[in-house]
Each structure stands twice: as structure tokens, then as C-alpha cells.
Amino acid sequence: MVQRQINWSLIDRVRAKNPIVLNLANLVTIDKVADAVSAVGASPIMSVEPAEADEMVMLANALSINLGTINEHQATQIRTVLRAATPLKPLVLDPVAVSAVPSRLKFAHSLLNDFHFDVIRGNASEIAALVEADNTSHGIDAGKVPNQVQIAETCARRYHSIVVLTGETDIITDGQVVYENPFSAEMLTMNVGSGDMLSSIIAAFLGITTNTWDACIVATVLVSAAGVLANRYSVGLGSWQVQFFDQLSIMDTKALLEFFDESEEDYLD
Amino acid sequence: MVQRQINWSLIDRVRAKNPIVLNLANLVTIDKVADAVSAVGASPIMSVEPAEADEMVMLANALSINLGTINEHQATQIRTVLRAATPLKPLVLDPVAVSAVPSRLKFAHSLLNDFHFDVIRGNASEIAALVEADNTSHGIDAGKVPNQVQIAETCARRYHSIVVLTGETDIITDGQVVYENPFSAEMLTMNVGSGDMLSSIIAAFLGITTNTWDACIVATVLVSAAGVLANRYSVGLGSWQVQFFDQLSIMDTKALLEFFDESEEDYLD
Amino acid sequence: MVQRQINWSLIDRVRAKNPIVLNLANLVTIDKVADAVSAVGASPIMSVEPAEADEMVMLANALSINLGTINEHQATQIRTVLRAATPLKPLVLDPVAVSAVPSRLKFAHSLLNDFHFDVIRGNASEIAALVEADNTSHGIDAGKVPNQVQIAETCARRYHSIVVLTGETDIITDGQVVYENPFSAEMLTMNVGSGDMLSSIIAAFLGITTNTWDACIVATVLVSAAGVLANRYSVGLGSWQVQFFDQLSIMDTKALLEFFDESEEDYLD
């Protein structure tokens, strides 16, 4: 079973090592992202001041750059921070809504042109927008983007990044190999910020390992497993969120492997 | 029974149509508002960048403009967005704290002078401040404003808007007809952001119907019913919030009508 | 038992008097802080606009100044607000991350030089940074700072403030007398914003009494008691948060004294 070949013990190692994640955050979800990073055992730091860039980058073990509420001021800050962080610190890009807002797509392209991101995390529309010269999928949600694996591979090869394309099936690829995560909870879509949280949790894992591939897979499976487990006793969005944060904060490697065993019949053949 | 004449099926239609609501948001409650809009089946988008105004407005089916953390930068953005949105998109204004902060009142008046809002949603103090030349009710909470129905009617007539005045009894009026919503949960007051959420949920309903009157009533009753139902098993603010978001996310037209039937003896004669 | 000499009835008086707390807030935790202030019976107001300073200060019974997401714009606003508030309104300073970010330390020092704060609330690293000419504890968390009581006393004497140094044991001192709060919940550390909430809850209590000493102790014990009680039935971060806000919103003086009696054997000799 492929899961066993991944270094799932990274979950325990994040809790043991407590890496610091600098988030240039989406103001809509900044609180959830901080709690999510803290729940997996890392320490979130946030900054909105370009003059703090050097100090903040020096503290951080990894960075997550989110375009969710980008404005001119934050665009400047992001570039200042990325200059300070390159090439020393692992970087995750979350290109929120580049599929829907052309000016964001332009900004994302300029960042991808000037800096190297270890990981790009987005939904199918967002990843498609990054690679399609003539993008026709104008929507804020993933919608029905065909050939998702191919799009993720193209994106990964173009930007020399690992791409984490999240959706009903999460696709993780370096442009050569593809890992498909079968675990999926519908509530991850209704809950605003699920993607933002994953991007910053990936950064938490990058803060303790140079194995970017395993970091992406373990973080993605952890979040989706927490989402699936949260479904079990939830009534709606409120109780799902409670259990999701419970699971994020208590899940260890052993619990994740047990979840695999229990879920095997449902998801894996 | 008056409830049966309103098109309560709008609740199901929002979930089916998934309208996009652009929120110029209150930073204090931006996360809750996003989750609330998502919970009723719409898609929230937020923006803090004036340069994105045209693109964001084009995406949106309706807009909610909230003055809760207004500053000079956001005031500029709001005007830019309103110019792009007028007269094509339905607009909701939430004049947070105009009763307490004279500069906000002045800004709200300038907006109401220059643009037409389909709906104005505020508490009694805020609505009173909008219509009283010589406002003497300085407070951030509704306090004891007398003649609430009359104030709401005056406001509605002056600005050619439907006014949703929320409080112990919610008053909805176009200046001619008045609908009074009897459902009320005290926790909606302790929970910061209940009004902000309602304003954006009204916008969600405006995104799928041109019947502004029904949209206001259905959204208001939905939020208050969720608040009342959340009371049933809650211990305090935390568990109330969980159940409130549960109810927002699962309530359909059928459940709301059942809630009416169960509540009839308590509230209606 | 020392607890009985403190005026624990302040808890009930905050609910009865409903003071207004102006928060110059940390954007990461602004929503939690608003709910926490509301849960203890006060009214939170937030502002990000310097031009509103006079109006906001006039409304407020006390202020909480948080450096958690300070930028140039907010630094200007903070100084404008402090000029308007001095010497009429009680002030709490929360020097978030001054131990880790030298530019924040410099800004905090400039504030402490120009204004008098009734209360300074921080963790051991932050309080140490404020008093050590040559601070070597670079970390965002409290870590293992030795001589915490001595550091708190030095800070209190230097700035003529009551210092609330929170950690495994909370230390409250005016530089002469020391009160140690033995109640402590590990989840208060994982939950992002616990310190921010406490700082603003202290401000809520300062809004109804000139007894700053009692206000600090009662607010600190209230928050830690809510944290301990939330542990009882919680699974992880999510359910702990729910119960923490439940407890904050329902705890009265009587319940706190019962909590003391029940906890006596565990904590007090």
C-alpha cells in the first residue's frame, strides 16, 4: 500500500520540533490559519509590515504566501519578504482566486517569474489559470476542470514546484510522479479557509524536512483525514469545525495509520 | 398566517444557485461572515484592493457594504466598488456604529446621497441616526430607541430602501408595509457579528431574486430561527455559535416551516 | 485563603455595567477578542482609522493596545489614540512578540516612554525583553525564562504599571506585591489569541473599577479558570474553544468561588 512508503512520522516530528511558519495571510481566514498551524504543533507568526520582513524571515522555518486579500500594500510586503527569504527558506504559494481575478493572476505570474516556490497549493481552477495562456475557466470555485492531473503536472514542470491541487481527489505532483489522495470531506468546501489552512500546514511540514514530496502528501492527507473524521458526529458546519480542529490537534502518526486501515475498504482497492 | 405568503423556498434556491456575494467587510467579523454566507449556500468573496473593483463586481451577484472598520483606504474602495456596481447589482448597506461615531454617520450619509441601496440593515440606534437630523442616541448598542417602526419607515422612505431594523423584534419595512419578525435569541446580541452576517446573508438572497421584500424577510427569519434553535442545547456563547452555524448550514425551507409550526404557540396568536 | 480578599464580585459588576473597551487589535485574533470581551459582559469596539481616535476614545471606558500586527499605519493610529486617551482612560499594553522582533521592541519602548500604561500583559519573553538592555531571549514563545517574578517586578517598577506575566503560573505584580495564579490550562497556549483576549478582558475590568490590582487578578483568574473548566470535556483544540467561550460567557462570582473550592486540593495548600 503506497501510504506506507511515505514518511508519515513527519506528523509526530512537527509536534516535537515546533517549527515557526510565517504567514502573509488572507485576512478572511487569518485566525483559522493561525489556529490550524498551532494545532499541528507549529507556531504561526503573521506580519503586515514590510519593515519587519528581515526579522520575521529570520525567525521563520518556512513561509506561506496567500493572495486571498492582496492589495497594493501587501503586494509590496510580499516581494520584500520573498527577497529576504530566497533562497534560504521553503516557500508555499496559495494563489487564491487567480482564476477569477485577472489582476491577481498577473501578480501571481510575476511572483512565479521572480521567485521559486517549493510548493503551489490551489484548487483546479486556480492551478489551471496559472498554466493556461488563454484561461477560460472564470470562477472562484474549482468547478469542473477537466484533465486535472495533466494541469497539475504542467504547472509543476513549468514552475519547478510540487503542485498540490485540492478537490474531490487531491492531486500532488512534481510533474513526473502523481500521488492521489482519495480522502475527501464535503465540509472542507463549505468551511471557508480549508485551502488556506492546508497551505500553511504544508509550510509547517517544510519547516522540519527537506523532503518536500513527503511533506506535501502528509500535510494533505492529515487535513483530509481530519475532515473525514470530523464528519462522523457532525450536524453541520459548526460542529464539523469543532471536530476538525480537535482532530488536527490530536492526530498523531499512529492515529493516521489506524484511519488508513479503517478506511481501506471504503477508499482503496 | 402571514408567513405562508412569503416565498420561503428562497432558502432552497440559494443553495441550488450558489450566488456570489462581494463583501466589503468589517475586519472584526470577516471570517464569521464568510462562513455564514457559505453556510446558507452562497459563495463569499472579499477584497481590500480598489484596483480589483471592476473584476470583483463583475463576479458578484450582490454586494454587502459594511462600515464596521472603515478607514480612509476602505472608504475610497467602497466608492470605487459602488460606482462599478451601480445600477446593475443589488446593494446592502450595514451602517455599523453610525449612531456612535459622527464621522461614520457623515460617511454613511454621503454614500446614501450618492448611491441607491436596495437594503439598509442596522440596529435601532443606527437606523435612528440615519434619519434624525439631531440624533441624541449616542451608543454602540440599540439601547431603548422608541418608535422603532416609525424610524424604520422614515428611513425606508427617505432612502427608497427596504430597512431591516434588527433587535428584540426585527422590523422590516419598505416605508409602507411592515413585517415584524417575532423570533429572537439573546445570544445573537452577545455573539459579535450577528448583524454583519445577516446583512451579507440578505445580499446572498438578493443574488437570486429581484423580490427584495421576500429576500429580506426570509434571510432575517432564517438567521433568527437558527439563533433560536441554537439556544436549545447551548451552555453559553461557544456552544451557541456551533449550533448556530450548524442550523445555518442545514436549514431548508421544510425545516423552517416546521420551526414555524412548533413555535406558533410561543410566538404567534 | 488569599482569593477571598480580592474583590471577585467584579465579575458580576462587569456584566451589570457593560463597559466599552476600545481595542487597537491584532488582526489575527480580532474576532476572538471581540467575542471574549462580549462574553464577559462588556462591549468591544474596534477602529483602524486615526481620524476616529477622539470619538472612539470618548466612547470607551478603557483601552487595550495590541502590537500583534503592528504596521506603520497602525503605529500612527496608536499614538493618536493614546494622546486622546491620556490621562483620562485606563490603558493596557500587550507587547506581542517584542522579544522576537527588534523593531517592535523599539516601538514598545517608545510608547512606554511617552505614555503611562496601567497594565502591561505579556508572556515571560515579552516582559523580559521590555526590561533587559541586552535581551538574549529571541523567541516568540515564553520558553524558559528564569527569574520570572523578578523580571515582572522590575518591569512593573520601571514603567509604574501592574505587570501581568502569563505562563504556566501567571504572575501579577505592581513591583512590590506579587500574586501568583496557580490555575493553568495547556490549551490556552495552543489556542492562538489567549493572551490577546486576557489583555482586553483586563481592560473590560478597568472600565468599571479604579482598583487596577483587583481588576488584573480577577480577569486573569477568570480566563484561566475558564481554560481549566474547558479542559474537562474537551477532545482537542476545537471542543476546548467551545467550552472556553461557554465558561467565559456564563461564569459569575459564585461559580468562580465554587471553582476555587473544588480546585483547592489540587492547586492550593
Side-chain angles (χ1 to χ4, degrees):
Chain A
M1 210 167 42
V2 67
Q3 277 82 351
R4 297 298 156 90
Q5 294 159 11
I6 307 292
N7 183 7
W8 302 107
S9 73
L10 289 177
I11 295 174
D12 297 341
R13 281 182 55 207
V14 167
R15 293 199 198 281
K17 293 205 153 189
N18 188 229
I20 295 175
V21 178
L22 173 57
N23 303 275
L24 301 199
N26 179 344
L27 290 177
V28 183
T29 59
I30 191 168
D31 181 28
K32 278 182 186 158
V33 166
D35 270 339
V37 168
S38 184
V40 302
S43 286
I45 56 177
M46 270 74 172
S47 172
V48 296
E49 171 55 56
E52 288 181 340
D54 286 340
E55 301 166 347
M56 285 289 179
V57 167
M58 208 166 59
L59 283 172
N61 298 107
L63 284 78
S64 176
I65 309 295
N66 186 305
L67 307 187
T69 45
I70 191 81
N71 65 2
E72 206 182 309
H73 180 269
Q74 198 187 27
T76 304
Q77 187 209 4
I78 287 174
R79 289 191 156 275
T80 309
V81 163
L82 288 175
R83 275 192 296 271
T86 301
L88 293 176
K89 308 283 179 166
L91 300 174
V92 178
L93 178 66
D94 190 328
V96 177
V98 292
S99 50
V101 187
S103 59
R104 287 197 193 176
L105 180 58
K106 198 177 158 193
F107 179 65
H109 275 145
S110 81
L111 290 184
L112 288 163
N113 197 52
D114 297 345
F115 302 98
H116 173 254
F117 290 87
D118 300 271
V119 178
I120 302 169
R121 205 288 318 159
N123 65 30
S125 291
E126 292 160 352
I127 300 300
L130 292 182
V131 295
E132 286 170 23
D134 183 23
N135 178 43
T136 54
S137 63
H138 289 291
I140 58 165
D141 293 321
K144 293 292 170 209
V145 178
N147 307 319
Q148 300 197 358
V149 169
Q150 194 187 318
I151 284 165
E153 287 175 329
T154 306
C155 185
R157 283 196 294 267
R158 185 167 307 168
Y159 301 113
H160 309 285
S161 303
I162 293 183
V163 165
V164 178
L165 186 162
T166 48
E168 211 169 314
T169 300
D170 302 322
I171 295 158
I172 298 159
T173 181
D174 60 358
Q176 314 291 331
V177 185
V178 173
Y179 180 94
E180 300 197 13
N181 172 35
F183 304 115
S184 167
E186 213 182 315
M187 274 294 176
L188 282 165
T189 306
M190 181 182 279
N191 174 59
V192 176
S194 298
D196 302 336
M197 290 193 271
L198 174 55
S199 297
S200 290
I201 290 174
I202 290 171
F205 282 85
L206 294 183
I208 58 147
T209 179
T210 54
N211 187 336
T212 308
W213 177 253
D214 279 18
C216 287
I217 292 172
V218 174
T220 305
V221 171
L222 170 62
V223 167
S224 63
V228 169
L229 287 167
N231 273 347
R232 293 196 181 165
Y233 305 102
S234 67
V235 174
L237 180 59
S239 47
W240 181 88
Q241 288 175 334
V242 171
Q243 292 175 80
F244 177 73
F245 277 104
D246 275 353
Q247 289 297 330
L248 269 195
S249 67
I250 62 173
M251 182 95 74
D252 58 11
T253 305
K254 186 163 164 290
L256 186 68
L257 295 177
E258 285 169 11
F259 170 77
F260 284 151
D261 288 341
E262 288 168 21
S263 309
E264 206 166 355
E265 293 134 41
D266 301 339
Y267 288 94
L268 310 170
D269 32 281
Chain B
M1 207 167 42
V2 68
Q3 277 82 350
R4 295 301 155 89
Q5 295 158 9
I6 306 292
N7 183 6
W8 302 106
S9 73
L10 290 177
I11 294 174
D12 298 340
R13 280 182 55 209
V14 167
R15 293 197 198 283
K17 293 205 154 190
N18 188 229
I20 295 177
V21 178
L22 172 57
N23 303 275
L24 302 200
N26 179 345
L27 290 177
V28 182
T29 59
I30 192 168
D31 181 28
K32 277 182 186 158
V33 167
D35 270 339
V37 168
S38 185
V40 301
S43 286
I45 56 175
M46 270 75 172
S47 173
V48 295
E49 170 55 56
E52 288 180 342
D54 286 341
E55 300 166 348
M56 285 289 178
V57 167
M58 208 165 60
L59 284 171
N61 299 106
L63 284 76
S64 176
I65 309 294
N66 186 306
L67 307 188
T69 45
I70 190 82
N71 64 3
E72 205 183 310
H73 180 268
Q74 199 188 26
T76 304
Q77 187 209 3
I78 286 174
R79 290 190 156 276
T80 310
V81 163
L82 289 174
R83 275 191 296 272
T86 300
L88 294 175
K89 308 282 178 164
L91 300 175
V92 178
L93 177 66
D94 190 328
V96 178
V98 292
S99 49
V101 188
S103 60
R104 287 196 193 176
L105 180 58
K106 197 177 159 193
F107 180 66
H109 275 145
S110 82
L111 290 184
L112 288 163
N113 198 51
D114 297 345
F115 302 98
H116 173 253
F117 290 87
D118 300 271
V119 179
I120 303 171
R121 203 288 317 159
N123 65 29
S125 290
E126 292 160 352
I127 301 302
L130 291 181
V131 294
E132 286 171 23
D134 182 22
N135 177 44
T136 53
S137 64
H138 288 292
I140 58 166
D141 292 321
K144 293 291 169 210
V145 178
N147 308 319
Q148 300 198 359
V149 168
Q150 193 186 321
I151 285 165
E153 287 174 330
T154 305
C155 186
R157 283 196 293 266
R158 185 166 309 166
Y159 301 114
H160 308 285
S161 303
I162 293 183
V163 166
V164 179
L165 186 160
T166 48
E168 212 169 312
T169 298
D170 301 322
I171 296 159
I172 299 160
T173 181
D174 60 355
Q176 313 291 333
V177 186
V178 173
Y179 180 94
E180 299 197 15
N181 172 35
F183 304 114
S184 167
E186 212 182 315
M187 273 294 175
L188 283 165
T189 305
M190 181 181 278
N191 174 59
V192 177
S194 298
D196 302 335
M197 290 193 273
L198 174 55
S199 297
S200 290
I201 290 173
I202 290 172
F205 281 85
L206 295 183
I208 59 147
T209 179
T210 55
N211 187 337
T212 308
W213 177 253
D214 279 17
C216 287
I217 292 172
V218 175
T220 304
V221 171
L222 170 62
V223 167
S224 63
V228 169
L229 287 167
N231 273 347
R232 293 196 180 163
Y233 305 102
S234 67
V235 175
L237 180 60
S239 48
W240 181 88
Q241 287 175 334
V242 171
Q243 291 175 80
F244 176 73
F245 278 103
D246 275 353
Q247 290 297 331
L248 270 194
S249 67
I250 63 173
M251 183 94 74
D252 57 13
T253 304
K254 187 163 162 288
L256 187 69
L257 295 177
E258 284 169 11
F259 170 79
F260 284 151
D261 288 341
E262 289 168 21
S263 309
E264 207 166 354
E265 293 133 41
D266 302 338
Y267 288 94
L268 311 169
D269 31 282
Chain C
M1 207 166 44
V2 67
Q3 277 82 349
R4 296 298 155 90
Q5 296 158 9
I6 306 292
N7 184 5
W8 301 107
S9 73
L10 290 177
I11 294 175
D12 297 341
R13 281 183 54 207
V14 167
R15 293 198 199 282
K17 292 206 152 188
N18 188 230
I20 296 177
V21 178
L22 173 56
N23 303 275
L24 302 200
N26 179 346
L27 290 177
V28 182
T29 58
I30 192 168
D31 180 29
K32 278 182 186 158
V33 167
D35 271 338
V37 168
S38 184
V40 302
S43 285
I45 56 176
M46 270 76 172
S47 173
V48 296
E49 171 54 56
E52 289 181 340
D54 286 341
E55 300 166 348
M56 285 290 178
V57 166
M58 208 166 59
L59 283 173
N61 298 107
L63 284 77
S64 175
I65 309 294
N66 187 306
L67 307 188
T69 45
I70 190 83
N71 64 3
E72 206 183 308
H73 180 269
Q74 199 188 26
T76 303
Q77 187 210 3
I78 286 175
R79 289 190 156 275
T80 309
V81 164
L82 288 175
R83 274 192 296 270
T86 300
L88 293 176
K89 307 282 180 166
L91 300 175
V92 178
L93 177 66
D94 190 328
V96 178
V98 292
S99 49
V101 187
S103 60
R104 287 196 192 176
L105 181 58
K106 197 176 157 192
F107 179 65
H109 275 145
S110 80
L111 290 184
L112 288 163
N113 196 53
D114 297 345
F115 302 98
H116 173 254
F117 290 88
D118 299 271
V119 178
I120 303 170
R121 205 291 315 161
N123 66 29
S125 290
E126 291 159 353
I127 301 300
L130 292 181
V131 293
E132 287 171 21
D134 182 23
N135 177 44
T136 53
S137 64
H138 289 292
I140 58 165
D141 292 320
K144 293 293 169 209
V145 178
N147 308 319
Q148 300 197 359
V149 169
Q150 194 186 320
I151 284 165
E153 288 175 328
T154 305
C155 186
R157 284 196 292 266
R158 185 167 307 167
Y159 301 113
H160 307 285
S161 304
I162 292 184
V163 166
V164 178
L165 186 161
T166 48
E168 212 169 312
T169 299
D170 301 323
I171 295 159
I172 298 160
T173 182
D174 59 358
Q176 313 292 332
V177 185
V178 173
Y179 180 94
E180 299 198 15
N181 171 36
F183 305 114
S184 166
E186 214 181 316
M187 273 295 174
L188 282 165
T189 305
M190 181 182 279
N191 174 58
V192 177
S194 299
D196 302 335
M197 289 193 272
L198 175 53
S199 297
S200 290
I201 290 174
I202 291 171
F205 282 85
L206 294 183
I208 58 147
T209 179
T210 54
N211 187 337
T212 309
W213 177 252
D214 279 17
C216 287
I217 292 172
V218 175
T220 304
V221 171
L222 171 62
V223 167
S224 62
V228 169
L229 287 168
N231 273 347
R232 293 198 180 161
Y233 305 101
S234 68
V235 174
L237 180 61
S239 47
W240 181 88
Q241 288 175 332
V242 171
Q243 292 174 79
F244 176 73
F245 278 103
D246 275 353
Q247 290 297 332
L248 269 194
S249 67
I250 62 172
M251 182 96 73
D252 57 12
T253 305
K254 185 162 164 288
L256 187 69
L257 294 177
E258 285 169 10
F259 171 76
F260 284 151
D261 288 340
E262 288 168 22
S263 309
E264 208 166 353
E265 293 134 41
D266 301 339
Y267 287 95
L268 311 169
D269 30 282

